[in-house]
Amino acid sequence: MSTNATPTARTKVLLVDDHDLIRKGLRHAFERDRQFEVVGEAATVAEAVRQAGALQPDVVIMDLRLPDGSGLEATRALRKSSNTMGIVVLTMYAGDDQLFGALEAGASAFVPKTAPADEVVAAARHAASAPSAFTAADLAEAMKRRLAPSGPQLSPREGQVLRLLADGMSVAGIAKQLFVSESTAKTHISKLYEKLGAANRAQALMTALRLGLLEAPDAPKF
């Protein structure tokens, strides 16, 4: 008795990019893999949203920059309408801001256009199986960069000295306020200037304001 094997359903892919050449290259890459079937193409945000609704693809390959808006806008719209659709953001501008923008928009993966086509296909495979699990080649390093402290790190004492300088206190006044000698106060101020790359009080205060170490006077409170 013979049995007919049930054909495995192929993963439907929608390609979104405003460059014909890139779409053709992506189509060729996906058509080489029997797991995938390219069901449509779009060149704008509006077309992407419309075709995604009509074709119900399993995965959308989304360019970041499109003529009528951002691919992140389209990603947010698609994610709002479906939690199961895989979305791979593809971009020439593969910086940390773009990576985290894709993550926050609800993308499943982030791939630079400089990556080999096989990486895009692999990202699509991931997106199809785990649409809510974000992946990117540089994600771990990008997280380290985002979490790393930026700018000079002041000690509690240096923070006190900075605020007293901002209040216009003299070295003698700072020494009295901190219950230290004037020589010790000068040492604290010197170390503070060194950390801020400043030569005097005015430069130190301007740098501290720019870095957010001090609140601007008369700043509105929200």
Side-chain angles (χ1 to χ4, degrees):
M1 181 177 177
S2 63
T3 58
N4 293 325
T6 303
T8 303
R10 299 172 77 183
T11 301
K12 297 183 294 181
V13 179
L14 171 64
L15 305 176
V16 183
D17 196 292
D18 59 329
H19 293 94
D20 291 341
L21 192 60
I22 290 175
R23 292 200 309 274
K24 286 178 182 177
L26 289 171
R27 176 180 281 276
H28 181 64
F30 280 106
E31 287 179 344
R32 290 201 312 261
D33 192 313
R34 292 186 178 182
Q35 176 184 340
F36 297 98
E37 177 188 4
V38 177
V39 295
E41 298 182 13
T44 65
V45 170
E47 287 178 10
V49 173
R50 183 170 59 251
Q51 291 214 45
L55 300 171
Q56 291 298 300
D58 301 301
V59 177
V60 178
I61 309 299
M62 181 71 68
D63 187 17
L64 189 64
R65 291 197 173 187
L66 295 167
D68 59 338
S70 167
L72 295 183
E73 296 172 14
T75 297
R76 291 188 193 96
L78 296 182
R79 180 58 67 226
K80 187 176 180 180
S81 65
S82 172
N83 291 323
T84 59
M85 185 182 294
I87 306 170
V88 177
V89 170
L90 191 63
T91 178
M92 285 294 295
Y93 310 93
D96 287 358
D97 288 345
Q98 289 78 20
L99 186 153
F100 286 113
L103 170 61
E104 291 159 6
S108 314
F110 179 87
V111 183
K113 285 186 176 179
T114 53
D118 288 349
E119 280 191 32
V120 182
V121 174
R125 189 171 288 112
H126 158 82
S129 62
S132 60
F134 183 79
T135 185
D138 194 37
L139 181 58
E141 291 302 315
M143 289 295 293
K144 287 180 185 178
R145 289 190 290 270
R146 171 167 278 200
L147 296 173
S150 58
Q153 301 302 299
L154 304 184
S155 69
R157 177 64 87 187
E158 289 164 347
Q160 285 181 300
V161 171
L162 177 61
R163 289 188 290 275
L164 294 174
L165 287 172
D167 288 340
M169 280 197 177
S170 64
V171 173
I174 291 172
K176 184 176 180 181
Q177 183 75 23
L178 299 180
F179 302 102
V180 298
S181 67
E182 288 191 26
S183 175
T184 299
K186 286 180 181 178
T187 298
H188 288 317
I189 293 170
S190 177
K191 287 182 178 178
L192 176 65
Y193 285 2
E194 183 178 349
K195 282 191 176 182
L196 295 176
N200 53 49
R201 181 190 300 242
Q203 288 181 8
L205 296 180
M206 289 299 294
T207 300
L209 284 169
R210 179 172 53 82
L211 295 174
L213 299 173
L214 279 177
E215 185 174 292
D218 301 321
K221 302 293 191 295
F222 297 103

